[in-house]
Amino acid sequence: MTLLWDADRGAADRYNYAVGGDINRHDSSVALMRDLEDSPRENLVIIGPDIDMQSACDLSEAVRVHRAEVGVLLLRRRLDVSLLGQALRAGVREVLTADDLTGLADAVRRSRELSQKMAGQHDQAVQDGKVITVFSAKGGVGKTTFSTNLSAYLASTGARVLVVDLDLAFGDVGISLQMLPQNSIIDLVQMAGHLDEQGLQQIVTHHESGLDAACAPAEPSDADRIPGTIIAELLKVAKRSYDFIVVDTPPAFTEHVLAAFDNSDLLVLIATLDIPAVKNLRLTLDTLDLLGSPKEDRVVVLNRSDAKVGLRSEDVVAVIKQDIAVMVPNSQAVPASVNRGVPIVLDEPKHPVSIAMRELADQFLRPVAGDATRAEGRERRGSDESTRRRILSWGGRR
């Protein structure tokens, strides 16, 4: 989002292409400064050509004092030497003619690059969101339900949350939240190699709960056109805009899933009380060991834990040789909430399933945001290429 001070109601549409993202127009400097105070990650202000020169300089000086990393670009009908001098003394980064949209686009790029450099390591730490990947090598265990509910709950606490649907062929995040996305992850392909925060915002869909969603493509065939590298790029860029990125996954070790594993701070592994799910969980843990994933970055969750099917939670622990962090009870209220498109954690907060979901988020997900040591550990993570190829060769078998 770029902040624009311009009395012309059509100004935002006129400059939108050059700026390359959404523009929030204000009629007064007071309103703009208020918006800037509420937008700690905003780094660009544009002042329209018809704003009084002294008022424009006063705003630029105020921005320089309160948010030195924010760039101010000034548009004028015509340029002269005295005007340029006055603007530069007030802290304006560049002055351009209002009809030079190409020049404006270049100035926007230069200003944002400078702002990122000025932000330095401190702001980078502030912007370092955490990636939580929800995975099971067996379908039907509730991954999407967990991903959407955990995301909705984290968003309800005031966190900035993005849920990413990596089931690129048959993803259900959008329909589970009753969203109608206009764009999806397939639209990132054209931005590969130069994806930025503005580009990411163009493909996400906002949900009424406060979370954003990067949805799977509408056409299953599009999944093959999405390289794993763009997923890694997506997650790295998202960490600069969101506190939490929750990744929903397909039940297979695809290149996209491996990219998510490589960039994850925590893996939430879902199982149910049936032998195929437990067997696949055991194989998943072995595969993560091969990939070099730290054991302390994994959380095992038993879904439908009270189902009377002849298998107990103790049996699961004996097989996987790892404790179960959270047990989520079985309930018909869960599929009912999915059919309504409302996360149960918000719709029925006192329900036992909702309580278990919040326990998972509060005890294991939210503390990750304050753990600076995980990033260092993730940098040491990795496996040789032959191992990854071998995993990908049988990743779809289950």
Side-chain angles (χ1 to χ4, degrees):
M1 183 74 72
T2 296
L3 304 185
L4 170 67
W5 181 16
D6 198 311
D8 182 359
R9 294 181 180 274
D13 292 334
R14 186 163 56 252
Y15 303 130
N16 183 270
Y17 179 78
V19 171
D22 292 335
I23 298 177
N24 199 358
R25 187 191 64 84
H26 295 281
D27 291 316
S28 69
S29 61
V30 173
L32 186 144
M33 286 299 294
R34 187 182 301 117
D35 193 2
L36 187 62
E37 291 174 0
D38 294 336
S39 307
R41 300 180 188 280
E42 182 52 66
N43 60 15
L44 181 63
V45 171
I46 298 176
I47 303 176
D50 297 320
I51 301 300
D52 172 71
M53 186 62 187
Q54 186 57 54
S55 299
C57 290
D58 291 343
L59 175 65
S60 180
E61 289 177 349
V63 170
R64 181 169 58 176
V65 170
H66 296 288
R67 295 274 298 279
E69 79 281 5
V70 175
V72 177
L73 304 181
L74 178 62
L75 304 179
R76 298 286 91 177
R77 297 297 180 190
R78 61 182 182 84
L79 305 182
D80 59 58
V81 175
S82 62
L83 180 147
L84 292 173
Q86 184 181 0
L88 294 176
R89 286 192 297 272
V92 173
R93 284 189 181 169
E94 296 192 42
V95 184
L96 307 101
T97 55
D99 57 355
D100 184 8
L101 296 183
T102 300
L104 176 59
D106 291 337
V108 166
R109 175 183 52 78
R110 289 190 295 267
S111 180
R112 283 178 174 151
E113 289 176 353
L114 179 57
S115 292
Q116 290 173 359
K117 292 178 182 178
M118 292 178 66
Q121 294 301 317
H122 174 72
D123 280 354
Q124 186 62 35
V126 172
Q127 295 174 355
D128 189 17
K130 301 302 178 183
V131 178
I132 314 294
T133 295
V134 180
F135 181 77
S136 172
K138 181 181 181 298
V141 301
K143 294 187 299 296
T144 300
T145 299
F146 272 83
S147 298
T148 53
N149 275 271
L150 291 173
S151 298
Y153 171 64
L154 291 169
S156 73
T157 67
R160 295 158 302 164
V161 181
L162 175 70
V163 57
V164 178
D165 193 345
L166 277 196
D167 194 344
L168 299 174
F170 302 104
D172 289 328
V173 166
I175 197 170
S176 295
L177 294 172
Q178 288 195 353
M179 296 188 299
L180 298 173
Q182 300 300 308
N183 298 292
S184 71
I185 293 175
I186 188 64
D187 297 297
L188 294 178
V189 173
Q190 59 186 337
M191 308 181 206
H194 54 86
L195 177 64
D196 58 14
E197 294 164 69
Q198 287 72 35
L200 176 59
Q201 289 304 309
Q202 292 177 26
I203 69 100
V204 302
T205 303
H206 188 70
H207 187 257
E208 60 184 9
S209 66
L211 65 83
D212 286 343
C215 294
E219 297 295 330
S221 59
D222 284 339
D224 294 334
R225 297 171 48 204
I226 302 173
T229 51
I230 194 62
I231 301 304
E233 193 174 359
L234 158 65
L235 297 176
K236 289 176 182 177
V237 170
K239 287 163 58 172
R240 299 199 294 264
S241 299
Y242 296 93
D243 300 310
F244 294 97
I245 301 94
V246 179
V247 183
D248 188 29
T249 57
F253 290 98
T254 67
E255 61 174 326
H256 311 102
V257 170
L258 294 187
F261 285 169
D262 287 342
N263 289 277
S264 291
D265 297 275
L266 187 71
L267 304 178
V268 178
L269 307 176
I270 311 293
T272 51
L273 286 174
D274 59 89
I275 290 176
V278 176
K279 181 265 293 183
N280 282 357
L281 175 56
R282 178 65 264 171
L283 292 176
T284 295
L285 294 171
D286 293 341
T287 302
L288 291 171
D289 289 339
L290 287 174
L291 290 169
S293 170
K295 289 181 170 61
E296 61 271 19
D297 290 355
R298 311 171 193 169
V299 173
V300 175
V301 177
L302 186 61
N303 194 20
R304 306 164 197 149
S305 60
D306 55 353
K308 307 301 181 182
V309 291
L311 203 62
R312 303 171 303 163
S313 60
E314 294 87 346
D315 300 324
V316 178
V317 172
V319 172
I320 68 174
K321 298 179 176 58
Q322 182 171 332
D323 290 337
I324 296 172
V326 176
M327 297 190 188
V328 181
N330 188 38
S331 174
Q332 292 301 314
V334 175
S337 71
V338 172
N339 289 338
R340 292 195 305 273
V342 181
I344 189 172
V345 73
L346 302 182
D347 194 37
E348 301 182 56
K350 295 183 179 180
H351 193 283
V353 171
S354 301
I355 293 172
M357 292 277 192
R358 292 199 302 272
E359 178 187 352
L360 173 61
D362 291 338
Q363 292 191 16
F364 298 96
L365 274 62
R366 294 176 68 180
V368 169
D371 189 353
T373 64
R374 289 182 182 269
E376 179 183 355
R378 191 169 58 257
E379 290 175 0
R380 296 193 299 267
R381 180 185 305 170
S383 59
D384 59 78
E385 188 60 31
S386 63
T387 299
R388 297 176 72 87
R389 286 198 301 269
R390 180 155 51 92
I391 291 171
L392 286 171
S393 70
W394 48 260
R397 304 173 195 166
R398 57 188 187 277

